[in-house]
Structure formats: structure tokens, C-alpha cells
Amino acid sequence: MKSQNKNNKILWCITFFFYFCMKIVGIMKRESNFEVLRTVAMFFIVVYHCLTHGVGDGYGFNTDCSITLSNSLFSDFMLVFSSISVNLYVMISGYFLVDLNFKASRIVRTWSYSCFYSLLITVLFMALAVVPFNAISVGKSIFPISSDAYWFVTQYIGLLILSPFLAILARQLTYRQYSVLLMGGAILCLSIIPDFPLGKRFYVAHGNSVWSFAYLFMMAGFIKHHLKTVPIGRLSVVVVSLTLLIFLCEVIGGYNNGSISLYWLNYNGLVLMLSVAVFVLVRQLQIPERGFWTVLVKAAPYTFGVYLIHDHLLVRDWLWNTLSLSSYCDKWLYPFMVIGICFVIFVACAVIDAVRKKLFAVVGIDKLIAKVDRWTF
């Protein structure tokens, strides 16, 4: 009898062990999905900057150079996926933060990485005489958040400050309450056309504000806690339909006074709808943990560094002016130039951030940042 009880206990232990392992594997697969999505999203952010800053003029794809129809359509199509990338990046954070305890180290770490690259790049450009020395510019580089050197980081830190309270709200709301909240938030945050109906009134800045980020956070929390599995086929139809609709809007609204100017709502409206659809789709996919997919997963921790390096104001002006991609707008090489250059920029920045990570580990900066949590509630 004792032997049988012992065997039962062993059997229960083995069963529990395999159950635990299966849960871990499931978690790893879901995390792998989002790590792949994080990497792909950042690559398309580089593409977005290439098209708007490198080929286009300022903050839009608007070029006075002659451009072939095929290259224009290629740019339209790439901007569809590039425009959803920031939303996806924020939603990934919200998806995990909604169930995590608040840690002040997340804020300090984000600031320290931003400050490191902001100061380093500013000093380096002045040392190489790319830009003249300016003590005020050096001083501002130490405070990249308040100086809004990186608009995304400024808004993202605002989201991190709000995240513990948003998480409490997300965990306490019922399905009905949560649905009403998202519908109310949609009225305040979303725009059918730029600034309509209420986007400009509440300063959601077409999706660039902390309020839009908070809405994305809550949307990700709803998906995690309340959204059941959606048939892949239906999701695919939604993604393809929204992609074609946004693409059509850009093509129809893109021609303006003889020059190409892509119609976009930044990260709002239809773009946000497509972001949610892609996010839900990727959440349900099974990503194989081998080969090319493994490379994308391993690249994910360095994606934030990719953004901080390539979109620094000084790097941005120097990089895209030097490359002068607009001169390729009427050539068949144009699509290959855009993809190839963006790939090289992504890899180069990721390698630099890997070196930065090693440096921080040797100096002990990350350990010092982690101690911040001991001093906070």
C-alpha cells in the first residue's frame, strides 16, 4: 500500500513536471512570436524613416524628383507596413507590462540608454567636426527626454509612468466595462481623417502622444485578458483587406499638384485598426524556434538601440543627406536600394548596441540600475 502511494506521488510529480514544462514551452513560443514581431517592426521603422527622411522631404514622402509609377507604388506599399510598426512596438510592451509589477528601473534604464547615445553621438559629431561645437547642444543631449530629442522615448517614458495604474485598471475591469472603455477611448483618440472628429482637440497628435500610447496599452491588455482565439483565416482576410484599403487611400490621395505625396494618418485611424489585426494574428502564430526565426528573436533586445542610433537628429541629417536616395527614384534599383540600405543600417546599429550592452555589463551600469527598485515601492 505504501509502495503504491509512493508510486502515485512519483506519477503526480512527473505529470506536474511535464505540465510545467509544457506551460513554459507555450510561454516561450508566445514570447518568440512577439520578439520576432519586435524585430520586424523596428526594421520597418527604419524603412519608414528612409522613405520619409531619406527619400521624402522632412516628415512625409514628398519628392520633387521624378519617380516611376512602380517605385511610387512600392513606396506606398512599404509605408502601409511601416506606419503600423510604432503601434506594434507599444502594444508589445503593453501586452507584457499589464501583468507585471511596477519597476522604476524600467524608466531609469530607458532614460540611461537614451542619454548614453544622445551624449555619445553629439560629442562624436562635434569631435569629428561634422557639426560645430556648441556647449548648449551638449547640455541638452544629457537630457534627451525633456529636450524631446527622441519623441518616441519621451512619450514612452510617459507611458511607463502611467503603466502601473493602467495595469490595475485593466486587471479590475470586467469584459463589458473594458469594452465600453475602449469604445470611449476610440472616440477620443481615433481619427477617420486627420484631426477628425476629436484627435486635435485632445492632442493625441495623430497617434504620437502618450494618450495614444495609453490607449494602445489598454488595447493590448484587452487582447491578453479577454480576447479568445480568432480563426486565422478571418484574421488574414481582415489584415489583407485593411492593407489594401490603406494602400488604396495612399494611392488615391497621394497625387498632389504633380508631385508624389503619400496620404497617411501617421499611427491613427485605419493604421491603428491594421496594427491591432496584425498583433492578434501574430499572437496566434506558431513561430519555429530555429534558423532565420532564431536570428530575429536574438536581434530583438537590440532593436531599441537601433532606433536610438539611426534616428538621432544629427545622425538622421547626416545619414540621409549622405545617401541621397531620392536620386534613385526613377531607377529600377530603387526598391533594392531602400531594402538593402535599411538592412545594413539595422544590422550596423544592432551590432553597436550589442557592444554597448557588453560595456554596460562590464562597468556594472545595469546592476546599478536594477538597485533602483530597492529604493521604490
Side-chain angles (χ1 to χ4, degrees):
M1 190 70 177
K2 290 182 178 179
S3 177
Q4 186 177 359
N5 290 336
K6 185 176 181 181
N7 290 336
N8 288 337
K9 290 180 179 179
I10 294 175
L11 181 61
W12 275 108
C13 288
I14 294 174
T15 303
F16 178 79
F17 174 77
F18 279 105
Y19 173 78
F20 180 77
C21 288
M22 290 301 292
K23 294 294 285 184
I24 292 296
V25 170
I27 291 171
M28 287 301 292
K29 286 181 179 178
R30 287 196 295 272
E31 288 184 347
S32 296
N33 287 6
F34 289 120
E35 293 302 282
V36 169
L37 183 60
R38 192 193 306 271
T39 300
V40 174
M42 184 52 67
F43 174 76
F44 274 103
I45 287 173
V46 177
V47 172
Y48 183 86
H49 292 152
C50 174
L51 294 175
T52 56
H53 301 318
V55 181
D57 179 20
Y59 291 88
F61 186 87
N62 188 336
T63 177
D64 294 328
C65 300
S66 60
I67 183 169
T68 63
L69 177 61
S70 60
N71 288 342
S72 176
L73 294 177
F74 165 79
S75 300
D76 276 323
F77 190 73
M78 295 302 289
L79 275 180
V80 173
F81 293 102
S82 299
S83 296
I84 68 174
S85 297
V86 169
N87 288 345
L88 293 173
Y89 212 84
V90 176
M91 290 182 72
I92 292 170
S93 298
Y95 189 85
F96 292 104
L97 287 176
V98 73
D99 287 328
L100 296 178
N101 295 325
F102 174 75
K103 288 187 177 181
S105 58
R106 294 191 188 102
I107 298 173
V108 177
R109 185 174 292 108
T110 303
W111 173 83
S112 64
Y113 293 175
S114 304
C115 182
F116 173 80
Y117 281 119
S118 178
L119 180 60
L120 177 64
I121 292 172
T122 300
V123 172
L124 183 62
F125 269 63
M126 290 180 180
L128 295 175
V130 179
V131 295
F133 176 78
N134 188 315
I136 296 178
S137 297
V138 175
K140 285 185 176 181
S141 69
I142 303 175
F143 303 98
I145 310 304
S146 57
S147 63
D148 208 20
Y150 301 102
W151 76 263
F152 176 85
V153 178
T154 302
Q155 305 305 321
Y156 186 71
I157 284 186
L159 177 64
L160 290 178
I161 294 172
L162 294 174
S163 64
F165 309 103
L166 295 174
I168 292 172
L169 182 63
R171 291 193 294 264
Q172 295 298 322
L173 291 174
T174 64
Y175 175 86
R176 183 185 180 91
Q177 292 170 334
Y178 213 143
S179 300
V180 173
L181 175 65
L182 290 180
M183 286 188 287
I187 295 173
L188 299 179
C189 293
L190 303 188
S191 297
I192 306 303
I193 60 176
D195 299 329
F196 180 84
L198 297 174
K200 190 173 184 178
R201 279 72 190 168
F202 291 98
Y203 190 67
V204 295
H206 303 170
N208 298 51
S209 72
V210 68
W211 310 118
S212 297
F213 281 19
Y215 184 77
L216 290 169
F217 182 103
M218 297 302 291
M219 180 67 75
F222 180 84
I223 292 170
K224 186 171 188 177
H225 288 166
H226 296 289
L227 187 66
K228 298 179 180 179
T229 301
V230 182
I232 297 294
R234 292 182 185 177
L235 276 174
S236 301
V237 171
V238 172
V239 169
V240 172
S241 300
L242 285 172
T243 299
L244 293 177
L245 180 57
I246 297 172
F247 177 74
L248 185 62
C249 289
E250 289 180 346
V251 172
I252 294 175
Y255 189 79
N256 181 25
N257 296 326
S259 65
I260 301 299
S261 177
L262 296 184
Y263 178 82
W264 53 296
L265 289 173
N266 216 343
Y267 315 116
N268 207 327
L270 293 174
V271 172
L272 187 140
M273 297 177 192
L274 178 59
S275 306
V276 173
V278 170
F279 186 87
V280 175
L281 178 63
V282 172
R283 178 194 181 213
Q284 297 180 186
L285 293 179
Q286 296 296 323
I287 301 296
E289 297 180 13
R290 62 179 182 273
F292 176 70
W293 301 108
T294 303
V295 175
L296 294 180
V297 171
K298 291 183 176 180
Y302 309 111
T303 54
F304 188 54
V306 172
Y307 166 72
L308 293 175
I309 297 169
H310 92 276
D311 205 41
H312 185 280
L313 295 176
L314 294 177
V315 175
R316 178 198 299 173
D317 292 341
W318 171 81
L319 179 65
W320 302 123
N321 287 332
T322 301
L323 293 174
S324 186
L325 286 172
S326 59
S327 61
Y328 292 90
C329 285
D330 59 346
K331 296 178 172 58
W332 66 271
L333 274 174
Y334 173 76
F336 301 99
M337 291 291 292
V338 170
I339 298 298
I341 286 174
C342 290
F343 176 78
V344 171
I345 291 172
F346 183 95
V347 172
C349 293
V351 170
I352 293 172
D353 196 56
V355 174
R356 190 273 314 156
K357 185 177 181 180
K358 291 287 186 183
L359 176 64
F360 274 36
V362 171
V363 178
I365 293 178
D366 285 329
K367 290 183 179 179
L368 183 63
I369 293 173
K371 291 181 180 180
V372 173
D373 294 325
R374 301 178 186 176
W375 308 330
T376 58
F377 59 90

